[in-house]
Amino acid sequence: MPSPETRVGQPLISLRDVHLSFGSNRVLKGIDLDVQRGQAVSIIGPSGSGKSTILRCITGLLPTERGSIRVGDTDVHALKSEAQRIELRKRVGFVFQQYNLFPHLSVLENLVIAPRKVLGETATNAEKHARELLAKVRMEHKADAYPGQLSGGQQQRVAIARALAMRPELILFDEVTSALDPETVGEVLTVIRELTEEGMTCVLVTHEMRFAEDISDVVYFTENGLIVEHGSPEHIFQRPTNERTQTFLRHALGDAGRRPVASGDPFLLSNISRYSLSV
Amino acid sequence: MTDLLELFVQAAAKFGLNYGFLLDAYQRGSLVNGAITTIALCAFTIVGSLLAGLALAAMLTSGRPWFARPARVFIEVTRNTPTLVQLYCAFLVLNMLLTQAVGAANPLTPFAWVVIVISLHKGAFHAEALRAGIEAVPRVTLEAASSLAFSRRQLLWNVQLPLAMRFALPSLINNLIDLVKMTAVASAIAVGDITYASIMIWTQSDNVLELMILLLAFFGLLSFVVNCVGRALEAKLRMPGYGH
């Protein structure tokens, strides 16, 4: 895998001045973002700051209003036809917060259906590849189970394997651990960590600050549809220059956890701010 | 066979029911023909109504006003007027106009009119059930399919319709059971279904109660078969982890 420096001139993903509104709600107000091939890039920031919207724009699930998005040689903002968007999405994997597996298909069928229908792989090859990927995410024993029978963490690992089954150049992770309980978060993060170590280009929207700090090459902090600050994890997490970043991280990185435990009524949810909620 | 019938007639006689007409070859024949006609009506209208429902649901959910609007108007008109009146209108008005226009070449028999009217009438109900199913498919599931580079057509056939079908199935089976019973209106325009055959027999002999029991048992059995097929289909398509 080439080191990020050798390809600095040619990022795999490049967003310039991207704008998007939902009605009168301006969600993105000029986003600039670069991802080099092989990098892991995290986007952090408060809920509703446009993080997930950025990912959806990259893979053409949402149209941009202004600005440019380039993925490899594809100008995403200029894609007109369904066929062009399909070509883009073959190269870009997407993992959702709510897993979004197909509930009427078994785990194996979930992995096989897109390579078979979209890439035209043979049943034998697609299934062989699918079983390898299931082993990679440690879900091979559940190949014949249905999504409804799996825990959240298991479903999310299958969803990652499903994205990998298309042999994508990069994968976008949209708050993939936000719906999971703290115990199962770890099993999903381990899988993502392994992917980044293998050199897969990953863009993560996440509320897992420690994880983002640990695995990212670059971290972006967004608020109100703008990139407030970006840089290396050390820069963002240890020496953030922007005041807003500092406040956000102070709250996100366990400041709330240090609050004294309520001594009064144990049924009073005085420590509710320790739980980060995301929608 | 005739021995069994005789045994049945004798047994029924003990309860004061006179099923003697079953031993008469002519009357038995017209009843059997009526039963076959009813079953054929059911078969044709089940297929016809499902096709009509699918087409209407496709128009409703197309997102294009010039498809959705006419479909909506048709459904409202159809489900808000009685089937029997629709059948009379179709057979006595449309069929007459058609016959005036093309004469003896009119290909539409009373049987065909019943199939058309019931298919369209029940199709309107199927369309609403299917629309409910289509709209119940979570948008994010479709987004996931899009992100896997499915085309619109692949998405429709591999994700949206299989899920919509599962959500709509109980309603569709409900409609189909109703449809089976609805075929009795065919007797109103002298299609020789089992109801019409029964009426013909009881106007000539005094056995209304016996024929009523027979009719109810027959339709009950037919509906039960549809019900069983529906339940089996539901069980087969059940998604583990959903419902119970």
Side-chain angles (χ1 to χ4, degrees), chain B residues 180-197:
Chain B
V180 166
K181 298 177 291 180
M182 190 181 269
T183 57
V185 298
S187 61
I189 58 169
V191 174
D193 77 325
I194 192 162
T195 317
Y196 189 76

Side-chain angles (χ1 to χ4, degrees), chain B residues 190-213:
Chain B
V191 174
D193 77 325
I194 192 162
T195 317
Y196 189 76
S198 302
I199 295 171
M200 287 301 104
I201 295 172
W202 79 47
T203 49
Q204 289 166 25
S205 39
D206 182 27
N207 44 19
V208 178
L209 180 63
E210 289 82 352
L211 279 158
M212 283 287 187
I213 293 171

Side-chain angles (χ1 to χ4, degrees), chain A residues 9 43 74 87 93 99 101 115 151 156 158 161 198 209 218 231 257 259:
Chain A
I43 306 174
T74 310
E87 283 310 309
Y99 337 125
L101 295 173
S151 73
Q156 196 59 291
V158 173
E198 287 165 18
M209 297 302 153
V218 182
R259 282 181 189 169

Side-chain angles (χ1 to χ4, degrees), chain B residues 26-176:
Chain B
Y26 176 75
Q27 290 188 326
R28 193 177 63 230
S30 72
L31 262 183
V32 169
N33 279 337
I36 292 170
T37 306
T38 294
I39 292 171
L41 266 179
C42 288
F44 279 107
T45 46
I46 284 174
V47 174
S49 67
L50 287 173
L51 289 177
L54 204 62
L56 285 167
M59 290 168 79
L60 279 179
T61 56
S62 66
R64 298 197 177 95
W66 55 90
F67 278 132
R69 207 67 59 71
R72 172 52 58 198
V73 170
F74 177 82
I75 288 171
E76 293 309 333
V77 171
T78 307
R79 67 176 178 177
N80 292 329
T81 50
T83 326
L84 186 60
V85 178
Q86 289 169 5
L87 187 62
Y88 280 142
C89 281
F91 185 63
L92 301 178
V93 181
L94 294 182
N95 189 54
M96 189 192 70
L97 292 175
L98 195 65
T99 308
Q100 276 181 357
V102 296
N106 181 357
L108 294 175
T109 59
F111 182 91
W113 278 110
V114 175
V115 171
I116 291 170
V117 169
I118 297 184
S119 289
L120 291 176
H121 186 92
K122 272 289 160 236
F125 287 84
H126 290 335
E128 286 293 82
L130 284 168
R131 182 175 68 87
I134 289 169
E135 290 177 356
V137 177
R139 207 182 57 87
V140 285
T141 307
L142 303 179
E143 202 177 31
S146 294
S147 81
L148 286 168
F150 279 71
S151 68
R152 260 190 78 84
R153 182 182 297 263
Q154 288 169 333
L155 189 152
L156 184 73
W157 287 105
N158 293 297
V159 181
Q160 199 166 14
L161 280 184
L163 288 174
M165 200 48 122
R166 284 166 170 85
F167 297 143
L169 201 53
S171 283
L172 290 178
I173 300 302
N174 215 8
N175 292 343
L176 290 180

Side-chain angles (χ1 to χ4, degrees), chain A residues 35-99:
Chain A
V35 179
Q36 304 292 336
R37 196 176 287 274
Q39 268 188 340
V41 170
S42 296
I43 306 174
I44 60 169
S47 294
S49 61
K51 305 185 296 294
S52 301
T53 309
I54 296 174
L55 294 191
R56 280 176 171 72
C57 287
I58 292 175
T59 190
L61 288 171
L62 286 172
T64 53
E65 279 156 14
R66 214 169 85 203
S68 68
I69 300 178
R70 196 178 47 72
V71 175
D73 299 325
T74 310
D75 286 321
V76 180
H77 58 278
L79 295 184
K80 290 279 177 287
S81 69
E82 188 191 31
Q84 290 172 321
R85 272 190 280 271
I86 286 173
E87 283 310 309
L88 169 73
R89 288 171 189 157
K90 284 182 190 171
R91 297 158 43 206
V92 183
F94 203 113
V95 185
F96 296 84
Q97 180 179 350
Q98 293 296 346
Y99 337 125

